[in-house]
Amino acid sequence: MNLPPGPLLLLGAAASAYLIGVLAGLLGKADSQGTAQVSLAFALLGTVLGGTSALFELLGGSVFNWTYVPSGFTSPDSVMVIGIAMDPLSAFFVLLISMVGFAITLSSFGYLDKYVHERPATLAGFYALFLFTLLTVVLAGTVFLFLIAWEAMTIVSYFLVVHEHASPKVRRSGLFYLVISHAAGAAVLTSLLLLAVYSGSPTFAGIAQAASHLNPWVKSLVFVAATLGFGTKAGLVPLHVWLPEAHPAAPSNVSALMSGVMIKVGIYGILRVVFQVMGGGPLWWGVLLLVMGATSALVGVLNAIAQHDIKRLLAFHSVENIGIIFMALGASLIFLSLGFPLLAALALLAGMLHTVNHALFKSLLFLGAGAVSGAAGTRDMEHMGGLARAMPQTALFFIVGAMAISGLPPLNGFVSEWLLFQAFFASFSTGSLATEVLLTAAGGVLALSTGLAGYCFVKASGAIFLARPRSSEAERVSSDAPATLRSGMAVLSILCILLGVVPLLAIELIGRSVSEITNTASPTVSLGGVLGSLELPSLSGNLDLGVIALVLAAAILVLWVVRRTRTAEKDRVSPAWDCGLDRPTSRMEYTPSGYAQPILRIFASYYAPTTLTETSPRGGSRPGPLMKVSRFQSEISYPWVEGFFDPLKQHVMDLARRTSRLQSGRIHAYLAYFVLTLLVLLAALWFFGGGGP
Amino acid sequence: MSLSSELGIVGIIVLEFALVLGISPLLSGVIRKIKSRSQGRVGFPIFQSYRDLGKLFHKGSVYAESASAVTEWAPLISFGALIAAIPLVPWLVLPSPFGFAGDLILFVGLLALSRFMTALAALDAGSTFGGMGSTRDMWIGALLEPAFLLTIFAWGAPSGSTGASTIALHSISLGLANFSPPMLLATTAFVFVLFAETGRLPFDNPATHLELTMIHEAMVLDYSGRELLLIEWGKAVKFTLLTGLLLTVLLPWGLSLSLGILVLLAIAVVVAKLLGASVIIGALETRFAKLRLFRVVDFAAVATVLALGSISLTYLVGV
Amino acid sequence: MVAPGLLALELTAAVVLVSAWLSLVHRRLEAIINLYLVQSAAVGLIAILVAYLYSAPDLYLTGLLVLGLNAIIFPWILHRIQREIRVPNEIRMFVSVRLSALAGLGCLLLAVAVVGPLTPLAEIPAAGLLPISVAVVLMGLFMVSTRRKAFTQVVGMLVMENGVFLAGVALTYGLGIFLELGVAANLLILAIVSRIFLYRMNDTFDTVDADVLRSLEG
């Protein structure tokens, strides 16, 4: 008997660590801070072990498959087979989950203080279980295990979302999330069972081998179901509606994990099913993903701009970034179907790199949001302001994340967007006008959404950290976030900078799954430069952010030194000048809604804002003969919710009301239903002439 | 590579930094002069900008009470980003010795970094006008980003590269054929971008001091001393960068193709081209009246669409 | 290396395209008339260039006719009418500037996709000439159909005429002098008719807003 390979042993250890963490958290005293810390410590250990295992796999390249057939199912072709498998794609996602999970878990120690009286140990236990289910989803080698893990992930995340279940709003958001995830689960189930049944294999590897013989109609059906199911999990418009509800409701470390990692599992699903197993498809698949991605990018960023709640803002930015990733996947599918595997590899690389990058900066931003909303006691940015002086390190980390998500060099967000721009630019070599126009227009959409993201994050960073505090709570903040919380953010910030300056670190690890999927031998980038530069085939462009970072750093250093030299006059501090206004107060500042107003006005046809202005002659804080008190209120509408989901909900409710007549409460009626169902099933079996077991 | 040629490369890069940073205040002086003359005024001497910057260098800064470290650092990063963008454009030698560092998409990114930092800094003092200028600058920049990027796509399409040097070399190899219909459309789009990014009429009036109409001036109201120096100088450098990029693509002739003595000639040619372009841009600016702020959106849309039109014509002409 | 003459042709055609596009999105009537002037001058120049390059002497005359009529007389008439009946300078459109710009792109894309493959049929091997002329015709059509004022609609028709002329040049070195004279005469009549029409409309309704004609419906 051979020993299991190293990565598998490590994975086993990681799984054990997680499960010990789960047991400790859920079985120990719910209100014990110590138990919670033990549980988190084991989760932290799990991330380290799991990450190491994935690194071994990605660097050493030992693919392993381990399948378990439960007794009673003699044929290994039966669907109910449990197995885990680690190929480069799984390993990449294991690494992603572990790396980001490590930083978030580190921060969670500091975050627990907020939950002293709200069952910290339970939170920690479910948190560890959530990480474990995430890992299981991406490691599942068979359809059956994948589906189990997928549902478990949904349910565990639901428990985490409703952790603060005393609030009815949280309960409502949680239910909304659960229902939508359930519908998505049905779509995932459909797509995977179709694959398993028509290919006659329970494992992904087996399906991949049989995939080329599948009926194209079945494949397209699988594609549509997978897009619906995984797209919902990822937060693709118009399936994104749960995201801005669930993320703010959850504790911040959980939102970080959901937004940073869980929605990426949706991306994993698409990569696994559409790319790796089915190997791409007809042109319209790619066009569909590209168009949905572009729509998500714009809808996400436009809605984000209009938010005051920092966590809702971040949730909408997840929609935007998922849109960008889907644009990359769509472009890759288009190139694949047109027969340009190298370009497909380039686009896929851009998409996967953006998946990593978004995981890093989005969890960083969520942790920052947790830190400031914990300190200021509100998530509403209107009531923050001036926090940079009390929380300088949190401010620094948040601004690094803000710059990364805005796609600014020399940070990681820029690299993946650069690669994607290059992929769009390369459409010129396909020689088809339609492809050219479509992908160039996609480039325009990407540029616009990146620009607007910058706008949104100047607004958010400024509203939270700069100027004067706009509420007494914000004024009272006197100390920075706990050290563990800050260290988690520090890890993520450093990774954001590192992957910006030396993107090859990530690209090397992604490269293997990309070349496996697209069947291209050569990697899309070459080594060179000071810290490894990117150079694309056929001369289309080059990027060496290492050098640029050096020049930037040198320039800033020189400027700083010169700045420090003595001047004739001394520097001094005085009230803000503000064109000579009398001592400006925080009420004269630009608020986040004021900042966002121009965009609301420009895109009014999208937002369809309803505004309300009231002027009352008396009342308010300072009534006087010359002063009237005015109140202004502005609400934006959510066309995707109001135009699509609300009517859908109405229909479902109507249907439910009609079916509720069946619920007579009499036992005889229920028995009759049983019999009726049985008869219908038997008739169906007879009619379709099913083979039976 | 021999030591002397490496020294030559370093020399060229230093020369380019000095050229761009040095000539920028002059160019803004020239434009101001042109505008004054067209309005029947004598105007400032064209070297006044240097004196203004020198004066700011010797002044101490006044910080707002509410300011944080952002006030101190953001102008440095903003200016640093512009410095890092300088060597991405070939100023004297083709191909640019520093071209390996990045292409024009990076150029757009660095300009965006610079804008992000100034807009963030404008919020730090907590003054009303700072916020006003910041939001305006950011949304105009965001809406023009597609036009900027698609112009680069359109310029790059014939040579199949987004690198400035490759595009310029391709332009030279085309000779007169460089002045093609797609080039005309893309250049028109880029002129829109240039005027908006550098805050010129009809988008912003750099000469105004009426708070409600301005963008850039509103952002820097609470800045003083050396921070203000960096922001003002940076604005001039940004103009030189964008004008230089336009000249590199449209009229790349006159650059040296080797590291020899021809570089000196190239300096003269580049200075002449930049001065000429400034005169034209200044004259063009006098033809416009300030646009109502929200009309800028239409400008951005037209620029984007023109760039897309250029790309579709490129397809026709054949790559 | 392409011949410089052909380059000049293409570039001038691009000037026609850009001016048509800008008149689609401009909001000031005076500017649109001036853009039409530039456009007509470019069209006349193209005719003369073709006459020179392909030694087709009758095109010299046509070119001069275009320069004289389209680039000088028509804009002058238009400016005068605008002054005399005080057509407001601001254009009123049915669609926004952004949509108009996009429609211009649509016209261009349509022309490139449909006419682009036909380019080898053209007598003049300047690849852009034929699609650009078709795009200009489409843009003129768009102007005619989306402007409220009869006045601007007339300008749109003139833009269309320029496009048709350009296509004629690209396909056959010009339509032949007599045909062209016929077209020009027709247009002159059209201009006169529209002028009378505008005056009458102004007298009757005190406006040249074509929308008020709806009130004539039974």
PDB file of all heavy atoms in Angstrom, chain B residues 299-319:
ATOM      1  N   PHE B 299     -19.739  65.860 -24.231  1.00  0.00           N
ATOM      2  CA  PHE B 299     -18.396  65.871 -24.805  1.00  0.00           C
ATOM      3  C   PHE B 299     -17.732  64.515 -24.639  1.00  0.00           C
ATOM      4  O   PHE B 299     -17.137  63.979 -25.568  1.00  0.00           O
ATOM      5  CB  PHE B 299     -17.540  66.940 -24.106  1.00  0.00           C
ATOM      6  CG  PHE B 299     -17.419  68.189 -24.898  1.00  0.00           C
ATOM      7  CD1 PHE B 299     -18.443  69.099 -24.920  1.00  0.00           C
ATOM      8  CD2 PHE B 299     -16.279  68.446 -25.633  1.00  0.00           C
ATOM      9  CE1 PHE B 299     -18.338  70.247 -25.668  1.00  0.00           C
ATOM     10  CE2 PHE B 299     -16.165  69.592 -26.374  1.00  0.00           C
ATOM     11  CZ  PHE B 299     -17.203  70.509 -26.390  1.00  0.00           C
ATOM     12  N   ALA B 300     -17.844  63.972 -23.422  1.00  0.00           N
ATOM     13  CA  ALA B 300     -17.215  62.674 -23.160  1.00  0.00           C
ATOM     14  C   ALA B 300     -17.811  61.609 -24.061  1.00  0.00           C
ATOM     15  O   ALA B 300     -17.085  60.777 -24.634  1.00  0.00           O
ATOM     16  CB  ALA B 300     -17.393  62.293 -21.695  1.00  0.00           C
ATOM     17  N   ALA B 301     -19.137  61.655 -24.238  1.00  0.00           N
ATOM     18  CA  ALA B 301     -19.781  60.648 -25.080  1.00  0.00           C
ATOM     19  C   ALA B 301     -19.313  60.776 -26.516  1.00  0.00           C
ATOM     20  O   ALA B 301     -18.978  59.780 -27.170  1.00  0.00           O
ATOM     21  CB  ALA B 301     -21.303  60.807 -24.997  1.00  0.00           C
ATOM     22  N   VAL B 302     -19.249  62.014 -27.012  1.00  0.00           N
ATOM     23  CA  VAL B 302     -18.832  62.213 -28.404  1.00  0.00           C
ATOM     24  C   VAL B 302     -17.392  61.734 -28.583  1.00  0.00           C
ATOM     25  O   VAL B 302     -17.068  61.047 -29.562  1.00  0.00           O
ATOM     26  CB  VAL B 302     -18.979  63.698 -28.797  1.00  0.00           C
ATOM     27  CG1 VAL B 302     -18.344  63.954 -30.156  1.00  0.00           C
ATOM     28  CG2 VAL B 302     -20.443  64.074 -28.842  1.00  0.00           C
ATOM     29  N   ALA B 303     -16.526  62.046 -27.611  1.00  0.00           N
ATOM     30  CA  ALA B 303     -15.126  61.621 -27.733  1.00  0.00           C
ATOM     31  C   ALA B 303     -15.027  60.099 -27.762  1.00  0.00           C
ATOM     32  O   ALA B 303     -14.305  59.524 -28.589  1.00  0.00           O
ATOM     33  CB  ALA B 303     -14.303  62.188 -26.571  1.00  0.00           C
ATOM     34  N   THR B 304     -15.769  59.443 -26.873  1.00  0.00           N
ATOM     35  CA  THR B 304     -15.725  57.980 -26.845  1.00  0.00           C
ATOM     36  C   THR B 304     -16.171  57.396 -28.169  1.00  0.00           C
ATOM     37  O   THR B 304     -15.548  56.486 -28.728  1.00  0.00           O
ATOM     38  CB  THR B 304     -16.652  57.449 -25.734  1.00  0.00           C
ATOM     39  OG1 THR B 304     -16.376  58.165 -24.548  1.00  0.00           O
ATOM     40  CG2 THR B 304     -16.453  55.982 -25.516  1.00  0.00           C
ATOM     41  N   VAL B 305     -17.268  57.941 -28.684  1.00  0.00           N
ATOM     42  CA  VAL B 305     -17.843  57.396 -29.901  1.00  0.00           C
ATOM     43  C   VAL B 305     -16.914  57.660 -31.097  1.00  0.00           C
ATOM     44  O   VAL B 305     -16.763  56.805 -31.975  1.00  0.00           O
ATOM     45  CB  VAL B 305     -19.244  58.002 -30.082  1.00  0.00           C
ATOM     46  CG1 VAL B 305     -19.731  57.805 -31.471  1.00  0.00           C
ATOM     47  CG2 VAL B 305     -20.197  57.376 -29.104  1.00  0.00           C
ATOM     48  N   LEU B 306     -16.274  58.816 -31.101  1.00  0.00           N
ATOM     49  CA  LEU B 306     -15.325  59.090 -32.188  1.00  0.00           C
ATOM     50  C   LEU B 306     -14.177  58.085 -32.161  1.00  0.00           C
ATOM     51  O   LEU B 306     -13.740  57.600 -33.210  1.00  0.00           O
ATOM     52  CB  LEU B 306     -14.768  60.511 -32.066  1.00  0.00           C
ATOM     53  CG  LEU B 306     -15.670  61.646 -32.532  1.00  0.00           C
ATOM     54  CD1 LEU B 306     -15.008  62.983 -32.272  1.00  0.00           C
ATOM     55  CD2 LEU B 306     -15.969  61.515 -34.018  1.00  0.00           C
ATOM     56  N   ALA B 307     -13.704  57.773 -30.954  1.00  0.00           N
ATOM     57  CA  ALA B 307     -12.615  56.793 -30.861  1.00  0.00           C
ATOM     58  C   ALA B 307     -13.068  55.429 -31.374  1.00  0.00           C
ATOM     59  O   ALA B 307     -12.336  54.749 -32.104  1.00  0.00           O
ATOM     60  CB  ALA B 307     -12.132  56.684 -29.419  1.00  0.00           C
ATOM     61  N   LEU B 308     -14.300  55.059 -31.028  1.00  0.00           N
ATOM     62  CA  LEU B 308     -14.827  53.786 -31.543  1.00  0.00           C
ATOM     63  C   LEU B 308     -14.949  53.827 -33.064  1.00  0.00           C
ATOM     64  O   LEU B 308     -14.663  52.839 -33.756  1.00  0.00           O
ATOM     65  CB  LEU B 308     -16.190  53.502 -30.926  1.00  0.00           C
ATOM     66  CG  LEU B 308     -16.188  52.747 -29.605  1.00  0.00           C
ATOM     67  CD1 LEU B 308     -17.578  52.759 -28.997  1.00  0.00           C
ATOM     68  CD2 LEU B 308     -15.752  51.303 -29.821  1.00  0.00           C
ATOM     69  N   GLY B 309     -15.367  54.994 -33.598  1.00  0.00           N
ATOM     70  CA  GLY B 309     -15.465  55.146 -35.042  1.00  0.00           C
ATOM     71  C   GLY B 309     -14.109  54.981 -35.694  1.00  0.00           C
ATOM     72  O   GLY B 309     -13.977  54.331 -36.734  1.00  0.00           O
ATOM     73  N   SER B 310     -13.099  55.545 -35.044  1.00  0.00           N
ATOM     74  CA  SER B 310     -11.743  55.405 -35.574  1.00  0.00           C
ATOM     75  C   SER B 310     -11.346  53.937 -35.649  1.00  0.00           C
ATOM     76  O   SER B 310     -10.752  53.478 -36.638  1.00  0.00           O
ATOM     77  CB  SER B 310     -10.784  56.181 -34.678  1.00  0.00           C
ATOM     78  OG  SER B 310      -9.480  55.761 -34.891  1.00  0.00           O
ATOM     79  N   ILE B 311     -11.715  53.191 -34.612  1.00  0.00           N
ATOM     80  CA  ILE B 311     -11.357  51.773 -34.593  1.00  0.00           C
ATOM     81  C   ILE B 311     -12.056  51.021 -35.714  1.00  0.00           C
ATOM     82  O   ILE B 311     -11.455  50.180 -36.387  1.00  0.00           O
ATOM     83  CB  ILE B 311     -11.700  51.180 -33.213  1.00  0.00           C
ATOM     84  CG1 ILE B 311     -10.681  51.676 -32.192  1.00  0.00           C
ATOM     85  CG2 ILE B 311     -11.689  49.668 -33.257  1.00  0.00           C
ATOM     86  CD1 ILE B 311     -11.081  51.474 -30.776  1.00  0.00           C
ATOM     87  N   SER B 312     -13.332  51.363 -35.966  1.00  0.00           N
ATOM     88  CA  SER B 312     -14.020  50.617 -37.021  1.00  0.00           C
ATOM     89  C   SER B 312     -13.481  50.990 -38.390  1.00  0.00           C
ATOM     90  O   SER B 312     -13.465  50.161 -39.301  1.00  0.00           O
ATOM     91  CB  SER B 312     -15.526  50.831 -36.935  1.00  0.00           C
ATOM     92  OG  SER B 312     -15.816  52.189 -36.864  1.00  0.00           O
ATOM     93  N   LEU B 313     -13.004  52.221 -38.539  1.00  0.00           N
ATOM     94  CA  LEU B 313     -12.391  52.585 -39.828  1.00  0.00           C
ATOM     95  C   LEU B 313     -11.040  51.881 -40.009  1.00  0.00           C
ATOM     96  O   LEU B 313     -10.669  51.531 -41.126  1.00  0.00           O
ATOM     97  CB  LEU B 313     -12.187  54.091 -39.921  1.00  0.00           C
ATOM     98  CG  LEU B 313     -13.373  54.895 -40.438  1.00  0.00           C
ATOM     99  CD1 LEU B 313     -12.995  56.352 -40.544  1.00  0.00           C
ATOM    100  CD2 LEU B 313     -13.824  54.395 -41.798  1.00  0.00           C
ATOM    101  N   THR B 314     -10.330  51.688 -38.896  1.00  0.00           N
ATOM    102  CA  THR B 314      -9.054  50.978 -38.986  1.00  0.00           C
ATOM    103  C   THR B 314      -9.251  49.590 -39.573  1.00  0.00           C
ATOM    104  O   THR B 314      -8.482  49.120 -40.395  1.00  0.00           O
ATOM    105  CB  THR B 314      -8.429  50.823 -37.586  1.00  0.00           C
ATOM    106  OG1 THR B 314      -8.426  52.074 -36.974  1.00  0.00           O
ATOM    107  CG2 THR B 314      -7.036  50.281 -37.677  1.00  0.00           C
ATOM    108  N   TYR B 315     -10.343  48.971 -39.146  1.00  0.00           N
ATOM    109  CA  TYR B 315     -10.649  47.644 -39.653  1.00  0.00           C
ATOM    110  C   TYR B 315     -10.764  47.684 -41.171  1.00  0.00           C
ATOM    111  O   TYR B 315     -10.278  46.813 -41.882  1.00  0.00           O
ATOM    112  CB  TYR B 315     -11.960  47.170 -39.037  1.00  0.00           C
ATOM    113  CG  TYR B 315     -12.531  45.943 -39.678  1.00  0.00           C
ATOM    114  CD1 TYR B 315     -12.029  44.693 -39.365  1.00  0.00           C
ATOM    115  CD2 TYR B 315     -13.538  46.038 -40.630  1.00  0.00           C
ATOM    116  CE1 TYR B 315     -12.536  43.566 -39.966  1.00  0.00           C
ATOM    117  CE2 TYR B 315     -14.043  44.918 -41.224  1.00  0.00           C
ATOM    118  CZ  TYR B 315     -13.540  43.681 -40.896  1.00  0.00           C
ATOM    119  OH  TYR B 315     -14.039  42.568 -41.487  1.00  0.00           O
ATOM    120  N   LEU B 316     -11.406  48.740 -41.658  1.00  0.00           N
ATOM    121  CA  LEU B 316     -11.658  48.865 -43.090  1.00  0.00           C
ATOM    122  C   LEU B 316     -10.362  49.041 -43.860  1.00  0.00           C
ATOM    123  O   LEU B 316     -10.126  48.406 -44.883  1.00  0.00           O
ATOM    124  CB  LEU B 316     -12.542  50.088 -43.291  1.00  0.00           C
ATOM    125  CG  LEU B 316     -13.135  50.232 -44.653  1.00  0.00           C
ATOM    126  CD1 LEU B 316     -14.262  49.250 -44.786  1.00  0.00           C
ATOM    127  CD2 LEU B 316     -13.651  51.638 -44.804  1.00  0.00           C
ATOM    128  N   VAL B 317      -9.524  49.936 -43.333  1.00  0.00           N
ATOM    129  CA  VAL B 317      -8.298  50.243 -44.047  1.00  0.00           C
ATOM    130  C   VAL B 317      -7.361  49.039 -44.011  1.00  0.00           C
ATOM    131  O   VAL B 317      -6.520  48.866 -44.883  1.00  0.00           O
ATOM    132  CB  VAL B 317      -7.643  51.497 -43.440  1.00  0.00           C
ATOM    133  CG1 VAL B 317      -6.331  51.815 -44.097  1.00  0.00           C
ATOM    134  CG2 VAL B 317      -8.592  52.671 -43.577  1.00  0.00           C
ATOM    135  N   GLY B 318      -7.550  48.201 -43.010  1.00  0.00           N
ATOM    136  CA  GLY B 318      -6.714  47.001 -42.927  1.00  0.00           C
ATOM    137  C   GLY B 318      -5.513  47.275 -42.047  1.00  0.00           C
ATOM    138  O   GLY B 318      -4.903  48.328 -42.111  1.00  0.00           O
ATOM    139  N   VAL B 319      -5.223  46.307 -41.214  1.00  0.00           N
ATOM    140  CA  VAL B 319      -4.133  46.493 -40.250  1.00  0.00           C
ATOM    141  C   VAL B 319      -2.817  46.121 -40.902  1.00  0.00           C
ATOM    142  O   VAL B 319      -2.724  45.101 -41.553  1.00  0.00           O
ATOM    143  CB  VAL B 319      -4.379  45.639 -39.004  1.00  0.00           C
ATOM    144  CG1 VAL B 319      -3.204  45.744 -38.061  1.00  0.00           C
ATOM    145  CG2 VAL B 319      -5.645  46.083 -38.311  1.00  0.00           C
TER     146      VAL B 319
END
